[in-house]
């Protein structure tokens, strides 16, 4: 059981123990609190979080270990985060952590150590239909986390368990209080664990990324200002542009090749579809039917779409209606109803009006 020190993984561990499973709690050491980092870690990466996880494991009478996966986290999540911003893209590090750490490095170590499954506190439902594993949204639509798990395939899902999938967050809190768990009323953390102050641009700069000022252009290519580095901007951004104008302007494009930012009116944000790379199909292959729902941001609403081209690891998707603020680097998760079909990284947006 991956125990972060929060209420969700605490209750998930308790549920598994109550069901009679032979549970071992594992806390992941992913970063350091030291002078070099300026203490800039948060959430599951703190000493306090590890202590909370250890004490919950003691209450549940399950073995507890701390596994050091700092190197894997630095290479697979933090370095990827910096590289994506250098490319003018907007990454989602929680997706990368699930893909490369929890169901990458942790899962592989669990397999080689002899464990039968890895469980987490994610709100998602994973079930076997007699032929293959299927990943579904959780019972709590407000808390559902299937989006950040959409790049998992059959090999990962066969080893994954999500005890909280049938529960609501309110019920999880109630169970934690009933069990007198010390994490019962612990607040949730919404920050990136290695960027707790929310200043991703400063983190990218401290990490030594190659950044330089460049032009801010209008849609016609006329320079109307100068930016301090493309890593400070994302598609759809309105604030912090440093431009004096009567009308509202939004970031329409982050052009890494020209080191330029393109800004313009909000109606120009509309896009007709996306090209997606590094796709993982949940069933191991593209679906037979092209109609789907696609979700292009963590807290966005899924929208009707059609898969117009797909192969083993890429696809093009056309929205049924134009969508605004498509940001390359974010995850696109595909659904059939509440079932995850697959997911991948948005590589580019497609203009409105494509056939």
């Amino acid at each position: 059981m991956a125990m972060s020190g929060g209420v969700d993984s605490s209750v998930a561990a308790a549920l598994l123990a109550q069901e009679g499973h032979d549970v071992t709690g594992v806390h992941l050491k992913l970063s350091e609190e030291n002078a070099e980092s300026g203490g800039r870690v948060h959430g599951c990466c703190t000493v306090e979080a590890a202590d909370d996880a250890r004490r919950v494991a003691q209450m549940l009478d399950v073995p507890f270990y701390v596994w050091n996966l700092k190197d894997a986290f630095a290479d697979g999540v933090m370095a990827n985060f910096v590289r994506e911003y250098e490319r003018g893209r907007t990454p989602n590090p929680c997706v990368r952590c699930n893909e490369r750490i929890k169901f990458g490095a942790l899962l592989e170590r669990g397999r080689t150590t002899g464990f039968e499954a890895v469980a987490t506190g994610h709100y998602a439902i994973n079930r076997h239909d007699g032929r293959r594993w299927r990943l579904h949204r959780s019972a709590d639509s407000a808390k559902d986390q299937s989006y950040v798990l959409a790049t998992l395939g059959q090999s990962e899902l066969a080893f994954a368990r999500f005890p909280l999938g049938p529960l609501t967050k309110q019920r999880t809190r109630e169970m934690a209080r009933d069990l007198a768990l010390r994490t019962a009323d612990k607040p949730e953390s919404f920050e990136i664990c290695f960027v707790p102050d929310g200043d991703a641009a400063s983190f990218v700069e401290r990490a030594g990324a190659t950044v330089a000022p460049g032009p801010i252009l209008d849609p016609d290519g006329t320079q109307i200002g100068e930016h301090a580095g493309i890593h400070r901007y994302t598609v759809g951004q309105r604030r912090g542009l440093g431009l004096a104008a009567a009308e509202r302007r939004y970031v329409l494009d982050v052009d890494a090749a020209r080191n330029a930012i393109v800004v313009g009116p909000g109606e120009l944000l509309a896009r007709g579809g996306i090209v997606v790379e590094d796709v993982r199909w949940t069933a191991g292959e593209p679906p037979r039917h092209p109609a789907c729902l696609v979700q292009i941001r963590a807290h966005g609403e899924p929208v009707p779409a059609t898969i117009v081209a797909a192969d083993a690891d890429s696809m093009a998707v056309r929205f049924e209606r134009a969508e605004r603020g498509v940001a390359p680097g974010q995850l696109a998760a595909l659904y059939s109803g509440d079932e995850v079909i697959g997911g991948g990284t948005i590589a580019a947006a497609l203009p409105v009006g494509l056939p």
Side-chain angles (χ1 to χ4, degrees):
M1 178 72 224
M3 299 184 70
S4 66
V7 63
D8 294 329
S9 59
S10 298
V11 172
L15 286 172
L16 291 172
Q18 289 175 355
E19 292 171 2
H21 296 286
D22 184 5
V23 180
T24 295
V26 174
H27 182 78
L28 304 183
K29 186 176 180 62
L30 302 177
S31 60
E32 293 281 8
E33 288 184 282
N34 53 34
E36 182 180 346
S37 69
R40 288 183 293 267
V41 293
H42 195 61
C44 59
C45 300
T46 64
V47 172
E48 290 79 9
D51 186 55
D52 284 340
R54 178 180 291 105
R55 295 194 180 199
V56 168
Q58 290 173 343
M59 290 182 65
L60 300 176
D61 193 28
V62 301
F64 179 81
Y65 299 93
V66 176
W67 285 2
N68 188 336
L69 297 180
K70 289 188 300 178
D71 291 345
F73 187 76
D75 293 341
V77 180
M78 297 171 71
N80 173 267
F81 184 81
V82 174
R83 286 195 303 270
E84 288 290 87
Y85 270 107
E86 285 183 308
R87 297 175 63 190
R89 310 209 314 184
T90 306
N92 187 321
C94 294
V95 172
R96 295 291 166 257
C97 186
N98 288 324
E99 180 184 88
R100 302 180 185 183
I101 305 302
K102 295 185 179 72
F103 297 99
L106 173 63
L107 186 149
E108 183 58 32
R109 185 166 177 178
R111 280 174 170 157
T112 58
T113 307
F115 289 98
E116 296 176 349
V118 167
T120 70
H122 285 102
Y123 287 81
I125 294 173
N126 182 27
R127 62 169 68 102
H128 197 268
D129 67 359
R131 188 171 62 89
R132 65 180 178 89
W133 289 93
R134 295 179 179 271
L135 179 64
H136 294 262
R137 291 191 183 277
S138 71
D140 188 340
S141 59
K143 182 61 180 174
D144 174 64
Q145 292 172 304
S146 61
Y147 170 84
V148 296
L149 300 170
T151 59
L152 302 186
Q154 290 292 297
S155 61
E156 292 86 7
L157 292 174
F159 210 71
R161 302 293 181 268
F162 307 120
L164 302 187
L167 304 181
T168 63
K169 182 65 181 231
Q170 179 181 352
R171 180 58 185 146
T172 297
R173 292 276 188 196
E174 291 171 352
M175 294 180 69
R177 295 186 190 108
D178 291 343
L179 293 166
L181 299 181
R182 62 186 284 119
T183 56
D185 295 303
K186 191 172 182 178
E188 290 190 76
S189 174
F190 296 99
E191 301 92 346
I192 300 170
C193 64
F194 55 90
V195 192
D197 61 2
D199 191 346
S202 292
F203 174 84
V204 170
E205 292 166 6
R206 292 195 301 269
T210 302
V211 298
I216 298 178
L217 309 175
D218 69 11
D220 295 327
T222 302
Q223 182 169 348
I224 56 175
E226 185 175 83
H227 65 75
I230 60 172
H231 64 297
R232 293 186 168 272
Y233 302 88
T234 187
V235 172
Q237 179 179 330
R238 181 171 69 86
R239 300 183 184 277
L241 302 183
L243 298 171
E247 70 280 3
R248 289 183 176 180
R249 285 174 168 155
Y250 298 80
V251 175
L252 305 178
D253 185 31
V254 181
D255 190 334
R258 294 189 292 170
N259 192 36
I261 304 299
V262 181
V263 302
E267 57 265 24
L268 295 184
L269 282 169
R271 298 291 182 265
I274 49 177
V275 175
V276 186
E277 63 186 9
D278 299 326
V279 174
R280 291 289 305 279
W281 300 107
T282 306
E285 59 185 8
R288 295 180 180 179
H289 304 290
C292 65
L293 298 172
V294 61
Q295 185 173 334
I296 60 173
R297 56 185 70 87
H299 302 293
E301 290 294 323
V303 298
T306 301
I307 302 170
V308 293
D311 57 29
D313 60 2
S314 66
M315 63 179 168
V317 178
R318 185 182 67 241
F319 304 137
E320 294 301 314
R321 61 176 184 271
E323 289 295 311
R324 290 176 49 151
V326 178
Q330 288 286 289
L331 174 76
L334 270 60
Y335 293 83
S336 175
D338 71 350
E339 182 182 354
V340 176
I341 299 173
T345 303
I346 299 173
L350 298 173
V352 176
L354 286 182

